[in-house]
């Protein structure tokens, strides 16, 4: 598990193997062997990795605990919806909507990933595809999943602008921390987003139009992960 965690953490910080090696004072070959599982770092390098990624050594080297209802782990999380709304709002404007480029390789094969954290909350958005794409957002609290949203979208015309979409999504509010506002317009480009439901269970649809021509559409659904 260490090699997979190392690759995940490196990509979350958008570091190449060369840059990671430089940060902790080892060769790129050493990092490559750690990530392939061929060798394991000594305690000095584990401490350096722990400090760089701001995680415990236990997290790096121990097998993750399995969350199960039998152990009562899921019931231990009591979701504060006010806090969750505020966190989702911050996470959305700090990730895709911000226009910040992310590691193109992602955490899964061919995926694009965005991450934001304000302990004990952590947000991760991962999608695959380009003109037609599918993804999921997950929020964890103390490493336990508490909220998720899945989405599927497609670009319908070459006039579509991802920059305009990001501008629209940047208009998100804490009251509607799902996608973008009900309406956003810039010149002839118009964004619409309709939702039904709220934080506990929500479904919705967003579209981008240019002079009445639909350029893009996306559907989404999600909610709290509780009984």
């Amino acid at each position: 598990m260490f090699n997979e965690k190392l690759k995940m953490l490196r990509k979350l910080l958008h570091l190449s193997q060369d840059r990671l090696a430089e940060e902790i004072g080892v060769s790129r070959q050493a990092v490559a062997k750690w990530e392939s599982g061929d060798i394991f770092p000594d305690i000095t390098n584990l401490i350096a990795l722990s400090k760089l990624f701001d995680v415990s050594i236990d997290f790096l080297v121990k097998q993750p605990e399995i969350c199960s209802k039998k152990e009562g782990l899921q019931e231990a999380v009591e979701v504060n919806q006010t806090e969750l709304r505020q966190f989702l709002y911050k996470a959305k404007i700090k990730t895709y909507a911000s226009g910040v480029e992310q590691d193109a390789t992602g955490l899964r094969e061919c995926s694009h990933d965005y991450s934001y954290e304000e302990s004990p909350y952590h947000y991760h958005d991962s999608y695959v595809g380009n003109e037609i794409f599918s993804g999921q957002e997950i929020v964890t609290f103390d490493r336990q999943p508490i909220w998720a949203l899945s989405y599927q979208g497609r670009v319908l015309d070459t006039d579509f602008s991802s920059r305009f979409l990001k501008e629209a999504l940047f208009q998100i509010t804490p009251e509607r921390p799902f996608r973008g506002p009900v309406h956003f317009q810039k010149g002839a480009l118009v964004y619409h987003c309709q939702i039904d439901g709220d934080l506990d269970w929500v479904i919705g649809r967003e579209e981008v139009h240019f002079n009445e021509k639909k350029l893009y559409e996306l559907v989404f659904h999600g909610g709290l992960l509780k009984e």
Side-chain angles (χ1 to χ4, degrees):
M1 292 300 296
F2 167 78
N3 63 321
E4 295 298 330
K5 289 179 181 177
L6 178 60
K7 283 188 282 188
M8 175 188 73
L9 292 167
R10 175 174 65 80
K11 291 179 178 181
L12 283 175
L13 289 187
H14 319 303
L15 299 175
S16 65
Q17 289 185 343
D18 286 319
R19 182 61 186 278
L20 175 57
E22 182 182 325
E23 289 283 342
I24 62 175
V26 299
S27 67
R28 188 201 65 79
Q29 289 78 10
V31 173
K33 288 181 179 180
W34 293 344
E35 292 192 354
S36 67
D38 292 339
I39 62 174
F40 196 80
D42 60 23
I43 186 62
T44 301
N45 287 321
L46 280 175
I47 292 172
L49 290 168
S50 171
K51 290 180 178 178
L52 176 65
F53 295 128
D54 193 25
V55 297
S56 68
I57 292 177
D58 278 354
F59 173 76
L60 289 173
V61 302
K62 286 187 175 180
Q63 192 84 353
E65 294 182 354
I66 298 175
C67 293
S68 69
K69 184 174 180 180
K70 183 178 180 180
E71 294 169 349
L73 295 177
Q74 193 66 28
E75 289 84 352
V77 174
E78 183 175 343
V79 178
N80 183 317
Q81 292 200 23
T82 301
E83 285 186 0
L84 179 56
R85 285 180 192 278
Q86 289 293 333
F87 174 74
L88 272 172
Y89 165 71
K90 292 179 183 177
K92 297 296 185 76
I93 64 173
K94 294 286 187 179
T95 51
Y96 179 79
S98 72
V100 174
E101 293 298 324
Q102 300 288 303
D103 188 339
T105 58
L107 299 182
R108 298 175 296 177
E109 188 173 358
C110 299
S111 72
H112 306 268
D113 294 72
Y114 298 82
S115 184
Y116 178 76
E117 183 169 11
E118 275 190 13
S119 185
Y121 292 94
H122 182 271
Y123 166 88
H124 193 91
D125 176 17
S126 179
Y127 73 91
V128 292
N130 291 292
E131 283 76 19
I132 300 176
F133 59 93
S134 181
Q136 185 178 52
E137 304 170 14
I138 296 176
V139 175
T140 61
F141 181 92
D142 280 340
R143 299 182 184 172
Q144 294 188 44
I146 60 170
W147 189 86
L149 182 141
S150 298
Y151 56 88
Q152 180 96 6
R154 60 177 180 167
V155 175
L156 302 171
D157 193 277
T158 55
D159 286 334
F160 171 73
S161 167
S162 61
R163 179 178 297 180
F164 172 74
L165 176 62
K166 290 177 182 180
E167 286 186 57
L169 296 179
F170 197 77
Q171 311 306 313
I172 190 173
T173 66
E175 292 73 32
R176 283 172 46 110
F178 309 113
R179 294 291 295 179
V182 175
H183 177 87
F184 177 74
Q185 184 167 359
K186 190 172 184 180
L189 285 168
V190 180
Y191 169 93
H192 292 291
C193 181
Q194 296 178 323
I195 65 168
D196 181 22
D198 205 348
L199 203 62
D200 56 342
W201 184 261
V202 64
I203 59 175
R205 181 185 188 90
E206 69 180 15
E207 296 181 352
V208 172
H209 293 254
F210 179 77
N211 288 334
E212 305 301 323
K213 179 173 62 176
K214 187 191 295 187
L215 307 181
Y216 157 93
E217 62 184 358
L218 176 144
V219 292
F220 60 91
H221 60 91
L224 295 173
L225 302 175
K226 66 176 186 179
E227 296 277 333

